[in-house]
Amino acid sequence: MRRNEVNVITLGCSKNLVDSEQLMRRFASAGYAVRHDPKRITGEIVVINTCGFIGTAQEESINTILGFVRAKNEGRIGKLIVMGCLSERFRGDLKTEIPEIDALYGKFDWKNLVADLGPSFAPDTETARLISTPRHYAYLKISEGCDRACSYCAIPIITGRQKSRPIASLVSEVTQLVAEGCSEFQLIAQDLTSYGRDLDGRVLLAPLLEQLSDIAGVRRLRLHYAYPTQFPREILPIMRERNNICNYLDIALQHATDHMLRRMRRNITQLETERLLDEIRQEVPGIVLRTTLMVGHPGETEQDFQALLRFVERIRFERMGAFAYSHESGTYAYKHYRDEIPEEEKMARLEQLMAVQEPIAEAYSRSLIGTSQEVLIDRREDEFVVGRTPYDSPEVDPEVLIPLEEGRSLRVGRYYQLPIVGVDGFDLLAQVAKL
């Protein structure tokens, strides 16, 4: 193993990635050589930033930890440190079941990690980070925690109540990242649309968007993880009128029927949901909506599920993800409902739901053929130069593919207006316009 080298492994969501990037900056400030590479199992220190949201994420985190335990036993790594949501939630169990872990940190006390190792250092700022994404885009975590009480969700158990960052702090961070070459920002939070309520009693998402979009060099702002209940409609005209705020909204709905929305404690009805979606599309013409839906929650009948399928067919989300219910200890559902739907039935419903969505998403991609789109180039890969339109978020959405031979002149991190000439699955095919 290489001395004075640390490898940070990030599992789970982009909010975890931001924490890892801040930790990496702290290690670098303390003189460590820092990597963010799960495939190279080396290093004097390995830190695994875990996810503990649902069962499948917990299983991935445990398996990753065990893989690095084997590497430690074989002498390929030195210290093994675990942090994040899984250790916040199950710290005692991890300490007992996997004694090879040298230190455990949770969702918030990881900021003591580098200092606890011995080196004396002063971090640049509380939020300074070493970006692990391509330098032209970054995730911007505007708050942590959640005040909602959805039946199935363990996030409030892990993160506690919402804590919003002040607007001035976010403006300062974005200004610094722009100076370092970043131009696209994904705004993230457990509940983006409640941002600021804990600061002065009112939602501050609209003034935040205005101030961020005013920063010279910001080309794209994209909104993730909105909540439909008490949605701040005042952001819609800002999205429509500001060219550097993407006409894109990630709004997790989870279900459609009144019966299931009550069971899930979502505090909204199907009619209210549909009216909100109609209003969003009317106020921001051409907006791309991404949502997340859940199947198999306790009490979901076949009638509920069929109604959910009809809802998806009728609304025609341009982007959609889905997952099966996980019976998580400590949640309202765990305490009050029986997890009575068999796992195989959950997975069958999940497969059927995605089968309904696939042709909808493909039809949307095909509707862009013949249009010209602004494409941000992310990378070169195999036979293609790969980029994204304003309607595509990194990692989760389709991409734009340009044949490598044709796109050699395109530079990573730059924006180009390109004609869309075809589709490959859900991805778009573009060509470099001939002069």
Side-chain angles (χ1 to χ4, degrees), residues 27 30 41 75 93 129 155 170 244-245 275 283 297 358-359 374 377:
F27 269 115
I41 304 179
D93 294 337
R129 44 190 175 124
I155 287 176
L170 293 164
N244 59 356
I245 301 179
R275 284 177 173 170
E283 287 287 319
H297 184 283
E358 284 176 9
E374 181 192 69
I377 303 300

Side-chain angles (χ1 to χ4, degrees), residues 152 167 221 426:
Y152 51 85
I167 290 179
L221 297 170
F426 302 113

Side-chain angles (χ1 to χ4, degrees), residues 194-209:
S194 289
Y195 167 76
R197 198 186 299 276
D198 55 306
L199 296 177
D200 72 353
R202 62 192 178 98
V203 175
L204 299 176
L205 186 57
L208 174 66
L209 289 177

Side-chain angles (χ1 to χ4, degrees), residues 82-131:
V82 175
M83 62 177 275
C85 295
L86 188 76
S87 49
E88 178 73 30
R89 198 171 170 197
F90 303 111
R91 192 180 306 222
D93 294 337
L94 289 171
K95 187 176 292 187
T96 301
E97 298 295 328
I98 313 179
E100 294 88 349
I101 297 173
D102 292 289
L104 285 158
Y105 293 83
K107 184 66 180 161
F108 302 103
D109 62 348
W110 60 265
K111 293 183 179 179
N112 301 321
L113 195 161
V114 179
D116 289 349
L117 289 171
S120 176
F121 80 105
D124 313 44
T125 67
E126 188 72 11
T127 58
R129 44 190 175 124
L130 202 62
I131 297 297

Side-chain angles (χ1 to χ4, degrees), residues 123-147:
D124 313 44
T125 67
E126 188 72 11
T127 58
R129 44 190 175 124
L130 202 62
I131 297 297
S132 61
T133 56
R135 63 181 301 207
H136 54 272
Y137 74 79
Y139 296 94
L140 184 70
K141 183 159 59 170
I142 67 173
S143 67
E144 186 74 85
C146 183
D147 292 343

